[in-house]
Amino acid sequence: MKRVGIVGFGHLGKYLYNRLIDDPNFKIVFIWNRSPIKDESIDKELILSNLEDFKNYKVDLIIEVAHPIITHDYGVRFLQHSNYVIGSPTALANQTLLDKLISISTEFRSKIYVPCGAFWGANDIKKMATQQTLKGLKITMKKHQTSLKLEGELKEKLERMKVWDSSLILYEGPVRDLCHLAPNNVNTMAVGALSALNLGFDKVQACLIADPNLIDKHVIEIEVTGPFNEKLNQNFKCTTVRSNPALIGHVTGNQTYDSFYYSLLETLSEAKSTGITVC
């Protein structure tokens, strides 16, 4: 049985709590949220008021589903104490932080897990990257504008759009430069960059689109380019389109919740590894 702490109690955190509380493979030992947890069905003994107190608990797995700032502020300390599930992997676009976490993981023999979430085909892309046959990866995310929580220039660009009669391309370029501008929305792209080991955050390409017609779903297109066949004069190509039902204004689509839970089941494996595992 894995003793777990949940950091973040929004829609995904609540979903995971309800799944894990009835799963005999897991025992929830604490829950923390930035704002007070008012759900009276939650055992008050589980609620952690100060996240600094996490170290007072014996825990096998800390699950972050709050915000990338948690990994920035606590990731190193979490890994010194426990295995760590990063639900907001846009934090890992910070290369200095990523290198530090991997180093600490190796030193303390702890594991970093990144659930694949809404990213389709992660295992196949990892295989191609390992063999150096992955030549290109582009991830396009399309969401209703009210589902986007943006920062900086992208926030300003979105706010300047007064009449929504067509879609708006907010960003095209490397995933790394987008992560800090849309930290809550492009975790799928961060997973792609982590899966595409030979390309990484600088070479995996991102396209973020606000579409007023997407009132009941999020759409993610993944375009993979493989090796060039000189005899046939063409590259290997694979394109997937994932249409995920989602309420208007929600950051996370419905199927992503289930995907995250089943990624947690993969943490039950006792395989010895350090560093980052996309699961």
Side-chain angles (χ1 to χ4, degrees), residues 71-72 74-77 79-80 92 94-108 110 112 275-276:
T71 295
H72 182 274
Y74 289 92
V76 167
R77 284 182 282 170
L79 285 167
Q80 291 171 338
L92 304 180
N94 180 327
Q95 191 64 46
T96 301
L97 176 61
L98 176 59
D99 292 342
K100 180 65 173 177
L101 293 174
I102 292 173
S103 175
I104 291 294
S105 165
T106 301
E107 180 182 352
F108 285 82
S110 49
I112 305 169
I276 292 180

Side-chain angles (χ1 to χ4, degrees), residues 3 5 11 20 43 90 93-94 99 115 131 140-141 144 185 201 203 222 232 237 241 248 278-279:
R3 296 170 60 86
H11 294 294
L20 297 180
D43 184 349
T90 50
N94 180 327
D99 292 342
Q131 299 174 73
T140 300
M141 297 185 69
H144 191 272
N185 288 111
F201 282 90
K203 293 183 179 179
I222 299 171
L232 298 176
K237 296 276 189 180
V241 180
I248 191 168
V278 176
C279 56

Side-chain angles (χ1 to χ4, degrees), residues 2 26 61 83 85 111 113 262-270 279:
K2 295 278 188 183
F26 299 94
L61 194 67
N83 296 325
V85 176
K111 300 177 183 178
Y113 297 99
Y262 282 100
S263 291
L264 293 183
L265 296 182
E266 293 190 35
T267 69
L268 296 172
S269 169
E270 295 302 324
C279 56

Side-chain angles (χ1 to χ4, degrees), residues 139-196:
I139 305 165
T140 300
M141 297 185 69
K142 303 176 184 178
K143 296 184 178 185
H144 191 272
Q145 62 272 18
T146 60
S147 293
L148 297 171
K149 296 182 179 180
L150 306 177
E151 304 289 343
E153 61 194 76
L154 292 194
K155 182 179 180 180
E156 295 172 4
K157 190 173 184 179
L158 193 68
E159 290 174 346
R160 286 197 298 269
M161 191 78 165
K162 301 301 181 183
V163 179
W164 285 92
D165 54 3
S166 62
S167 61
L168 174 66
I169 297 176
L170 291 161
Y171 177 90
E172 283 188 292
V175 169
R176 189 184 301 280
D177 295 338
L178 178 58
C179 284
H180 74 280
L181 295 170
N184 297 98
N185 288 111
V186 298
N187 287 305
T188 297
M189 295 181 178
V191 172
L194 292 166
S195 300

Side-chain angles (χ1 to χ4, degrees), residues 11-23:
H11 294 294
L12 180 53
K14 291 175 184 176
Y15 169 85
L16 293 176
Y17 170 83
N18 289 324
R19 292 297 301 260
L20 297 180
I21 201 73
D22 294 324
D23 190 323

Side-chain angles (χ1 to χ4, degrees), residues 136-140 172 204-207 221-225:
L137 177 62
K138 181 179 180 181
I139 305 165
T140 300
E172 283 188 292
V204 173
Q205 296 298 298
C207 180
E221 299 177 5
I222 299 171
E223 301 172 61
V224 174
T225 302

